[in-house]
Amino acid sequence: MGKFAEYLDGKVYSCKHCRTNLARHQDIMSKQYEGTSGPAYLFTSVVNVKCQEPRLAVLWSGQHSISAVQCSTCNTDLGWKYVRVSSPSQRFKEGKFLIESAYTFKENRWHLSYSRSLLKSQGKDKLKT
């Protein structure tokens, strides 16, 4: 097993199997992607992952050089990183990460984060538990 090296604050997506933080909600470029297991998100950056050697793959949008992405803690396959794309219209994907929603979990801090911002907007400083 790898090491859970980086913790994220706010709205966080984590590995569904081991709860290692992977990405922040604000780093989603698009939710309109499909991975091998269904719906996926395109992220500008992720943490606590390892990338395999790039390989050529033919996807819906054309032939691309991609690297498989795995959780650095439990080695779950999460999706892939776009290393190089063949079509100029797809260049925005280079360096981005496609993470499949089937392997992610929205951390409970989403609700807590919303509650704190709501209380602050009402002039209350502390969140009662």
Coordinates of all heavy atoms in Angstrom, one line a residue, residues 56-114:
L56 N -1.2 4.2 -26.0 CA -2.2 4.8 -26.9 C -3.6 4.1 -26.7 O -3.6 2.9 -26.5 CB -1.7 4.5 -28.4 CG -0.6 5.4 -28.8 CD1 -0.2 5.0 -30.3 CD2 -1.0 6.9 -28.8
A57 N -4.6 4.9 -26.8 CA -6.0 4.3 -26.6 C -6.9 5.1 -27.6 O -6.8 6.3 -27.8 CB -6.4 4.5 -25.2
V58 N -7.8 4.3 -28.2 CA -8.8 4.9 -29.1 C -10.1 5.1 -28.2 O -10.7 4.1 -27.7 CB -9.1 4.0 -30.3 CG1 -10.2 4.6 -31.1 CG2 -7.9 3.8 -31.1
L59 N -10.4 6.4 -28.0 CA -11.6 6.7 -27.2 C -12.6 7.4 -28.1 O -12.4 7.6 -29.3 CB -11.2 7.7 -26.1 CG -10.0 7.2 -25.2 CD1 -9.6 8.3 -24.2 CD2 -10.4 6.0 -24.4
W60 N -13.8 7.7 -27.5 CA -14.8 8.3 -28.3 C -14.4 9.6 -29.1 O -14.8 9.9 -30.2 CB -16.1 8.7 -27.5 CG -16.8 7.5 -27.0 CD1 -16.8 7.0 -25.8 CD2 -17.7 6.7 -27.8 NE1 -17.7 5.9 -25.7 CE2 -18.2 5.7 -27.0 CE3 -18.1 6.8 -29.1 CZ2 -19.1 4.8 -27.5 CZ3 -19.0 5.8 -29.6 CH2 -19.5 4.8 -28.8
S61 N -13.5 10.3 -28.4 CA -13.0 11.6 -29.0 C -11.8 11.5 -29.9 O -11.2 12.5 -30.3 CB -12.8 12.6 -27.9 OG -11.9 12.1 -27.0
G62 N -11.3 10.2 -30.1 CA -10.2 10.0 -31.0 C -9.1 9.2 -30.3 O -9.3 8.7 -29.2
Q63 N -7.9 9.1 -30.9 CA -6.8 8.4 -30.4 C -6.0 9.3 -29.5 O -5.6 10.5 -29.9 CB -5.9 7.9 -31.5 CG -4.8 7.1 -31.0 CD -4.0 6.4 -32.1 OE1 -4.5 6.2 -33.2 NE2 -2.8 6.0 -31.9
H64 N -5.7 8.9 -28.3 CA -5.0 9.7 -27.3 C -3.9 8.8 -26.6 O -4.1 7.6 -26.5 CB -6.0 10.2 -26.2 CG -7.1 10.9 -26.7 ND1 -7.0 12.1 -27.5 CD2 -8.5 10.8 -26.5 CE1 -8.2 12.5 -27.8 NE2 -9.1 11.7 -27.2
S65 N -2.9 9.5 -26.1 CA -2.0 8.9 -25.2 C -2.5 9.1 -23.8 O -2.6 10.3 -23.4 CB -0.6 9.5 -25.4 OG 0.3 8.9 -24.5
I66 N -2.7 8.0 -23.1 CA -3.3 8.2 -21.7 C -2.4 7.3 -20.7 O -1.8 6.4 -21.1 CB -4.8 7.7 -21.6 CG1 -4.9 6.3 -22.0 CG2 -5.6 8.6 -22.5 CD1 -6.3 5.7 -21.7
S67 N -2.5 7.7 -19.5 CA -1.8 7.0 -18.4 C -2.9 6.5 -17.4 O -3.7 7.3 -17.0 CB -0.9 7.8 -17.6 OG 0.2 8.1 -18.3
A68 N -2.9 5.2 -17.1 CA -3.9 4.8 -16.1 C -3.5 5.4 -14.7 O -2.4 5.6 -14.4 CB -3.8 3.2 -15.9
V69 N -4.6 5.8 -14.0 CA -4.4 6.5 -12.7 C -5.0 5.5 -11.6 O -6.1 5.0 -11.7 CB -5.2 7.8 -12.7 CG1 -5.2 8.5 -11.3 CG2 -4.6 8.8 -13.7
Q70 N -4.2 5.4 -10.6 CA -4.6 4.5 -9.4 C -4.4 5.3 -8.1 O -3.6 6.2 -8.0 CB -3.7 3.3 -9.3 CG -3.7 2.4 -10.5 CD -2.7 1.3 -10.4 OE1 -1.6 1.5 -9.9 NE2 -3.1 0.1 -10.8
C71 N -5.2 4.9 -7.1 CA -5.1 5.5 -5.8 C -3.8 5.1 -5.2 O -3.4 3.9 -5.3 CB -6.3 4.9 -4.9 SG -6.1 5.4 -3.2
S72 N -3.1 6.1 -4.7 CA -1.7 5.8 -4.1 C -1.8 5.0 -2.8 O -0.8 4.4 -2.4 CB -1.0 7.1 -3.9 OG -1.6 7.9 -2.9
T73 N -3.0 4.9 -2.2 CA -3.1 4.1 -1.0 C -3.5 2.7 -1.2 O -2.9 1.8 -0.7 CB -4.1 4.8 0.0 OG1 -3.6 6.2 0.2 CG2 -4.2 4.1 1.3
C74 N -4.6 2.5 -2.0 CA -5.1 1.1 -2.1 C -5.0 0.5 -3.5 O -5.4 -0.6 -3.8 CB -6.6 1.1 -1.7 SG -7.7 1.9 -2.8
N75 N -4.4 1.3 -4.4 CA -4.1 0.8 -5.8 C -5.4 0.6 -6.6 O -5.3 0.0 -7.7 CB -3.3 -0.4 -5.8 CG -1.9 -0.1 -5.3 OD1 -1.3 0.9 -5.6 ND2 -1.4 -1.1 -4.5
T76 N -6.5 1.2 -6.2 CA -7.8 1.1 -7.0 C -7.6 1.8 -8.3 O -7.1 2.9 -8.3 CB -9.0 1.6 -6.3 OG1 -9.2 0.8 -5.1 CG2 -10.2 1.7 -7.1
D77 N -8.0 1.2 -9.4 CA -8.0 1.9 -10.7 C -9.1 3.0 -10.7 O -10.2 2.7 -10.5 CB -8.2 1.0 -11.9 CG -7.0 0.0 -12.1 OD1 -5.9 0.4 -11.9 OD2 -7.3 -1.2 -12.4
L78 N -8.7 4.2 -10.9 CA -9.6 5.3 -10.8 C -10.1 5.9 -12.2 O -11.1 6.5 -12.3 CB -9.0 6.5 -10.0 CG -8.6 6.1 -8.6 CD1 -7.8 7.2 -7.9 CD2 -9.9 5.8 -7.7
G79 N -9.2 5.8 -13.2 CA -9.5 6.4 -14.5 C -8.2 6.6 -15.2 O -7.3 5.7 -15.2
W80 N -8.0 7.7 -15.9 CA -6.8 8.0 -16.6 C -6.4 9.5 -16.7 O -7.3 10.3 -16.4 CB -6.8 7.4 -18.0 CG -7.9 7.9 -18.9 CD1 -8.0 9.0 -19.6 CD2 -9.2 7.2 -19.1 NE1 -9.1 9.1 -20.3 CE2 -9.9 8.0 -20.0 CE3 -9.8 6.0 -18.7 CZ2 -11.2 7.7 -20.5 CZ3 -11.0 5.7 -19.1 CH2 -11.7 6.5 -20.0
K81 N -5.2 9.7 -17.1 CA -4.7 11.1 -17.3 C -4.5 11.2 -18.8 O -3.9 10.3 -19.4 CB -3.4 11.3 -16.6 CG -2.8 12.7 -16.8 CD -1.5 12.8 -16.1 CE -0.9 14.2 -16.4 NZ 0.4 14.4 -15.7
Y82 N -4.9 12.3 -19.4 CA -4.7 12.6 -20.8 C -3.3 13.1 -20.9 O -3.0 14.2 -20.4 CB -5.7 13.6 -21.4 CG -7.1 13.0 -21.5 CD1 -8.0 13.2 -20.5 CD2 -7.4 12.3 -22.7 CE1 -9.3 12.8 -20.7 CE2 -8.7 11.8 -22.8 CZ -9.7 12.1 -21.8 OH -10.9 11.6 -22.0
V83 N -2.4 12.3 -21.5 CA -1.0 12.8 -21.7 C -0.8 13.6 -23.0 O -0.3 14.7 -23.0 CB 0.0 11.5 -21.7 CG1 1.4 12.0 -21.9 CG2 -0.2 10.8 -20.4
R84 N -1.3 13.0 -24.1 CA -1.2 13.7 -25.4 C -2.5 13.3 -26.2 O -2.9 12.2 -26.2 CB 0.0 13.3 -26.1 CG 0.3 14.2 -27.4 CD 1.6 14.0 -28.0 NE 2.8 14.0 -27.1 CZ 3.3 15.1 -26.6 NH1 2.9 16.3 -26.8 NH2 4.4 15.0 -25.8
V85 N -3.0 14.3 -26.9 CA -4.2 14.0 -27.7 C -3.8 14.3 -29.2 O -3.0 15.2 -29.5 CB -5.4 14.8 -27.3 CG1 -5.8 14.5 -25.9 CG2 -5.2 16.3 -27.4
S86 N -4.5 13.7 -30.1 CA -4.2 13.8 -31.5 C -4.9 15.0 -32.2 O -4.4 15.6 -33.1 CB -4.5 12.5 -32.3 OG -5.8 12.1 -32.1
S87 N -6.1 15.3 -31.8 CA -6.9 16.3 -32.4 C -6.7 17.7 -31.7 O -6.8 17.8 -30.5 CB -8.4 15.9 -32.3 OG -9.2 17.0 -32.8
P88 N -6.4 18.7 -32.5 CA -6.3 20.1 -31.9 C -7.5 20.5 -31.1 O -7.3 21.2 -30.1 CB -6.1 21.0 -33.2 CG -5.6 20.1 -34.2 CD -6.2 18.7 -34.0
S89 N -8.7 20.1 -31.5 CA -9.9 20.5 -30.8 C -10.0 19.8 -29.4 O -10.8 20.2 -28.5 CB -11.1 20.1 -31.6 OG -11.3 18.7 -31.7
Q90 N -9.2 18.8 -29.1 CA -9.2 18.1 -27.9 C -8.0 18.4 -27.0 O -7.8 17.9 -25.9 CB -9.2 16.6 -28.1 CG -10.4 16.1 -28.9 CD -11.7 16.3 -28.1 OE1 -11.8 15.9 -27.0 NE2 -12.7 16.9 -28.8
R91 N -7.1 19.4 -27.4 CA -5.9 19.7 -26.7 C -6.2 20.2 -25.2 O -5.3 20.1 -24.4 CB -5.1 20.8 -27.4 CG -4.5 20.2 -28.7 CD -3.1 19.8 -28.5 NE -2.6 18.8 -29.4 CZ -2.2 19.0 -30.7 NH1 -2.2 20.3 -31.1 NH2 -1.9 18.1 -31.5
F92 N -7.3 20.7 -25.0 CA -7.6 21.2 -23.6 C -7.6 20.1 -22.6 O -7.4 20.3 -21.4 CB -9.0 21.9 -23.6 CG -10.2 20.9 -23.7 CD1 -10.8 20.4 -22.6 CD2 -10.6 20.6 -25.0 CE1 -11.9 19.5 -22.8 CE2 -11.7 19.7 -25.2 CZ -12.3 19.2 -24.1
K93 N -7.7 18.8 -23.0 CA -7.6 17.7 -22.1 C -6.2 17.3 -21.7 O -6.1 16.6 -20.7 CB -8.2 16.4 -22.8 CG -9.7 16.5 -23.1 CD -10.2 15.3 -23.8 CE -11.6 15.4 -24.2 NZ -12.0 14.2 -25.0
E94 N -5.2 17.7 -22.4 CA -3.8 17.3 -22.0 C -3.5 17.7 -20.6 O -3.7 18.9 -20.2 CB -2.8 17.9 -23.0 CG -2.9 17.2 -24.4 CD -1.8 17.7 -25.4 OE1 -1.1 18.6 -25.1 OE2 -1.8 17.0 -26.5
G95 N -3.0 16.8 -19.9 CA -2.6 17.0 -18.5 C -3.8 16.9 -17.5 O -3.6 17.1 -16.3
K96 N -5.0 16.7 -18.0 CA -6.2 16.6 -17.1 C -6.5 15.1 -16.8 O -6.0 14.2 -17.4 CB -7.4 17.2 -17.8 CG -7.3 18.6 -18.4 CD -6.9 19.6 -17.3 CE -6.8 21.0 -17.9 NZ -5.8 21.3 -18.8
F97 N -7.3 14.9 -15.7 CA -7.6 13.6 -15.2 C -9.0 13.2 -15.3 O -9.9 14.0 -14.9 CB -7.2 13.5 -13.7 CG -5.7 13.8 -13.5 CD1 -5.2 15.1 -13.4 CD2 -4.9 12.7 -13.3 CE1 -3.9 15.3 -13.2 CE2 -3.5 12.9 -13.1 CZ -3.0 14.2 -13.0
L98 N -9.3 12.1 -15.9 CA -10.7 11.6 -16.0 C -10.8 10.6 -14.8 O -10.1 9.5 -14.8 CB -11.0 10.9 -17.3 CG -12.4 10.4 -17.4 CD1 -13.0 10.8 -18.7 CD2 -12.4 8.9 -17.2
I99 N -11.6 10.9 -13.8 CA -11.8 10.0 -12.7 C -13.3 9.5 -12.7 O -14.2 10.3 -12.8 CB -11.5 10.8 -11.4 CG1 -10.1 11.4 -11.4 CG2 -11.7 9.9 -10.2 CD1 -9.0 10.4 -11.5
E100 N -13.4 8.2 -12.6 CA -14.7 7.6 -12.7 C -15.5 7.8 -11.4 O -15.0 7.5 -10.4 CB -14.6 6.2 -13.1 CG -13.9 6.0 -14.5 CD -14.0 4.7 -15.1 OE1 -15.1 4.0 -15.0 OE2 -13.0 4.2 -15.6
S101 N -16.7 8.2 -11.5 CA -17.5 8.5 -10.3 C -17.8 7.2 -9.6 O -18.1 7.3 -8.3 CB -18.8 9.2 -10.7 OG -19.6 8.5 -11.6
A102 N -17.8 6.1 -10.2 CA -18.0 4.8 -9.5 C -17.0 4.5 -8.4 O -17.2 3.7 -7.5 CB -18.1 3.6 -10.5
Y103 N -15.8 5.1 -8.6 CA -14.7 4.9 -7.6 C -14.5 6.1 -6.7 O -13.5 6.1 -6.0 CB -13.4 4.6 -8.4 CG -13.7 3.4 -9.4 CD1 -13.4 3.6 -10.7 CD2 -14.1 2.2 -9.0 CE1 -13.6 2.6 -11.6 CE2 -14.3 1.2 -9.9 CZ -14.1 1.4 -11.2 OH -14.3 0.4 -12.1
T104 N -15.4 7.0 -6.7 CA -15.2 8.2 -5.8 C -16.3 8.3 -4.8 O -17.4 7.7 -4.9 CB -15.2 9.5 -6.6 OG1 -16.4 9.7 -7.3 CG2 -14.0 9.5 -7.6
F105 N -16.1 9.0 -3.7 CA -17.0 9.2 -2.6 C -16.9 10.7 -2.2 O -15.8 11.2 -2.1 CB -16.6 8.3 -1.4 CG -17.4 8.5 -0.2 CD1 -18.6 7.9 -0.1 CD2 -16.9 9.3 0.8 CE1 -19.4 8.1 1.1 CE2 -17.7 9.5 2.0 CZ -18.9 8.9 2.1
K106 N -18.1 11.3 -2.1 CA -18.1 12.7 -1.6 C -18.0 12.7 -0.1 O -18.9 12.1 0.5 CB -19.4 13.4 -2.1 CG -19.5 13.7 -3.5 CD -20.8 14.4 -3.8 CE -21.0 14.6 -5.3 NZ -22.3 15.3 -5.6
E107 N -17.0 13.3 0.4 CA -16.8 13.3 1.9 C -17.9 14.1 2.6 O -18.5 15.0 2.0 CB -15.4 13.9 2.2 CG -14.3 13.1 1.8 CD -14.1 11.8 2.7 OE1 -14.7 11.7 3.8 OE2 -13.5 10.9 2.2
N108 N -18.2 13.7 3.8 CA -19.3 14.3 4.6 C -19.0 15.8 4.9 O -20.0 16.5 5.3 CB -19.4 13.6 5.9 CG -20.1 12.2 5.7 OD1 -20.8 12.0 4.8 ND2 -19.8 11.3 6.6
R109 N -17.8 16.2 4.7 CA -17.5 17.7 4.9 C -18.3 18.6 4.0 O -18.4 19.7 4.3 CB -16.0 17.9 4.8 CG -15.2 17.3 5.8 CD -13.8 17.6 5.6 NE -13.3 17.1 4.4 CZ -12.2 16.3 4.2 NH1 -11.5 16.0 5.3 NH2 -11.8 15.9 3.1
W110 N -18.9 18.0 3.0 CA -19.8 18.9 2.1 C -20.9 19.5 2.9 O -21.1 20.7 2.8 CB -20.4 18.0 1.0 CG -19.4 17.6 -0.1 CD1 -18.2 17.0 0.1 CD2 -19.5 17.9 -1.5 NE1 -17.6 16.8 -1.1 CE2 -18.4 17.3 -2.1 CE3 -20.5 18.5 -2.2 CZ2 -18.2 17.4 -3.4 CZ3 -20.3 18.6 -3.6 CH2 -19.1 18.0 -4.2
H111 N -21.6 18.7 3.7 CA -22.7 19.2 4.5 C -22.2 20.1 5.6 O -22.8 21.2 5.8 CB -23.4 18.0 5.1 CG -24.8 18.4 5.7 ND1 -25.8 18.9 4.9 CD2 -25.2 18.3 6.9 CE1 -26.8 19.2 5.7 NE2 -26.5 18.8 6.9
L112 N -21.1 19.8 6.2 CA -20.5 20.6 7.3 C -20.0 22.0 6.7 O -20.3 23.0 7.3 CB -19.3 19.9 7.9 CG -18.7 20.5 9.1 CD1 -19.7 20.7 10.3 CD2 -17.5 19.7 9.6
S113 N -19.4 21.9 5.6 CA -18.9 23.2 5.0 C -20.1 24.1 4.7 O -20.1 25.3 4.9 CB -18.2 22.8 3.7 OG -17.8 24.0 3.0
Y114 N -21.2 23.6 4.1 CA -22.4 24.3 3.8 C -23.0 24.9 5.1 O -23.4 26.1 5.2 CB -23.4 23.5 3.1 CG -24.7 24.2 2.9 CD1 -24.9 25.2 2.0 CD2 -25.8 23.9 3.7 CE1 -26.1 25.9 1.8 CE2 -27.0 24.6 3.6 CZ -27.2 25.6 2.6 OH -28.3 26.2 2.5

